[in-house]
Amino acid sequence: MFKKLNLGLLAVVSVATVVIGFLLKRQFGTDWWELAGFTTGVIAVYLVAVEHITNWPVGLVNVAIYAWVFYNGRLLADMSLQFFFFALNVQGWIQWARGGTGKSELAISRVALKSWIYIVAIWVAGTAVYYPIIVHFNGAAPLVDSALTVASIIAQFQLNFKKLENWIIWIAVDAVYIRLYITRDLVATAVLYGLFLALAISGLIGWLKTHRQLAAASVIPNSV
């Protein structure tokens, strides 16, 4: 059993996103690829925030589009991130479709406190590996781009398993990405990440409420 989708609200979000996208195109000359990435990105994150499984196919389209957008913007770490995201979207789709215990809907759970030691270590190590590669290929903002890339992979992996803390990482990442994209003249993408930030905050609030309800009903899976 998966969550029902409010089609009316989805339509409102979709239409509003398209309108904002065309306003950005008119004002800043945003190209069609970035406009398409903007639209699919907002819809995908909205679907994640409401825990609907259709976020995954929409997300696959979005990452494919942004691989091209970031290539053109010389944000090479972000471009390579889209390939990771494509694979992680496939894995997340399978994980959510498979469900949790007894094939029920996968439940929201927490990351154990001790696991953050390993998460931070992976983030530091991953950034250290990414940085010289991006420098070698003359990528823009190599340190920031590399650190955000690794953090995004960690957040996406947590999202795949419905870990509540994925939203906390996304909030921090989105806030920094907004500034980065403005410096690369990707105005529509900067606005997109502003919407991502708002949706991440909404997702955190909604998932936290659901998690507390599950805890009250004593059906929360163990944190890992």
Side-chain angles (χ1 to χ4, degrees):
M1 179 69 69
F2 298 105
K3 289 188 178 295
K4 292 182 178 179
L5 184 61
N6 186 326
L7 296 178
L9 188 53
L10 175 62
V12 170
V13 170
S14 300
V15 171
T17 302
V18 171
V19 170
I20 293 172
F22 274 101
L23 289 175
L24 290 170
K25 180 174 178 58
R26 180 177 179 180
Q27 182 68 31
F28 300 105
T30 302
D31 68 31
W32 288 106
W33 285 108
E34 192 178 357
L35 179 60
F38 175 88
T39 303
T40 55
V42 172
I43 293 172
V45 175
Y46 166 75
L47 291 169
V48 172
V50 297
E51 293 183 70
H52 200 273
I53 196 169
T54 53
N55 80 85
W56 300 110
V58 178
L60 287 172
V61 174
N62 177 255
V63 298
I65 293 171
Y66 263 110
W68 178 252
V69 171
F70 291 139
Y71 172 76
N72 287 331
R74 286 182 46 251
L75 291 172
L76 303 183
D78 282 342
M79 181 195 72
S80 65
L81 175 61
Q82 305 313 303
F83 294 101
F84 281 105
F85 275 172
F86 195 92
L88 287 172
N89 267 258
V90 172
Q91 188 272 334
W93 195 353
I94 294 171
Q95 184 67 36
W96 281 36
R98 181 182 298 163
T101 304
K103 302 300 181 182
S104 60
E105 181 185 357
L106 185 64
I108 297 169
S109 59
R110 301 292 301 270
V111 175
L113 185 60
K114 63 181 180 181
S115 295
W116 284 105
I117 297 175
Y118 302 104
I119 291 171
V120 172
I122 290 170
W123 177 58
V124 172
T127 301
V129 170
Y130 244 115
Y131 176 74
I133 297 174
I134 302 307
V135 170
H136 176 75
F137 288 102
N138 196 32
L143 181 58
V144 175
D145 198 15
S146 299
L148 291 175
T149 295
V150 178
S152 296
I153 293 172
I154 292 171
Q156 183 65 43
F157 190 78
Q158 290 186 356
L159 171 61
N160 286 9
F161 291 92
K162 278 197 177 181
K163 296 298 180 181
L164 178 68
E165 288 79 4
N166 88 87
W167 293 116
I168 297 174
I169 299 177
W170 281 127
I171 289 170
V173 166
D174 292 342
V176 180
Y177 263 134
I178 292 170
R179 174 60 181 169
L180 176 62
Y181 293 141
I182 290 175
T183 66
R184 301 307 299 167
D185 294 323
L186 295 171
V187 179
T189 303
V191 174
L192 169 64
Y193 272 74
L195 294 175
F196 279 175
L197 178 59
L199 287 169
I201 294 171
S202 174
L204 176 61
I205 294 171
W207 282 34
L208 184 59
K209 179 180 178 180
T210 300
H211 182 269
R212 287 172 174 169
Q213 291 173 344
L214 292 172
S218 300
V219 293
I220 291 284
N222 293 328
S223 298
V224 295

